[in-house]
Amino acid sequence: MTRKIADCRKYPSEMDCSLAISGEEDEVVRAASEHAVSVHGHEDSPELRSQIRAMLEDEKVSV
C-alpha cells in the first residue's frame, strides 16, 4: 500500500506551520483533521476530511 502525506508547508497559514504527516490514507486524514481543528481552528466536518483527502499526495520514498 502506498503511504500518503499531508504537508502543511504546501499551504499558506498565519502560523507558518511546518508539520508533515505520513502513513496510510485513513490514518493521515484522521491525524490531519485533528491537527487542522486543534492548531488551525477549522471545524471538524465531513467536508474538511474530504478536502484533506483530496490534497493528499503519495509519499516519495528515497532509495
Side-chain angles (χ1 to χ4, degrees), residues 30-59:
R30 182 175 55 250
S33 297
E34 292 171 3
H35 171 74
V37 170
S38 65
V39 174
H40 296 286
H42 293 283
E43 183 176 327
D44 191 10
S45 68
E47 292 81 16
L48 174 65
R49 291 173 186 260
S50 178
Q51 290 171 350
I52 290 171
R53 191 174 301 274
M55 292 187 283
L56 295 182
E57 297 178 0
D58 290 344
E59 184 177 50

Side-chain angles (χ1 to χ4, degrees), residues 8-38:
C8 274
R9 295 172 296 183
K10 293 189 173 200
Y11 305 98
S13 71
E14 292 177 4
M15 55 198 65
D16 226 11
C17 187
S18 66
L19 182 70
I21 301 168
S22 66
E24 292 185 13
E25 185 170 331
D26 288 341
E27 294 173 321
V28 174
V29 170
R30 182 175 55 250
S33 297
E34 292 171 3
H35 171 74
V37 170
S38 65

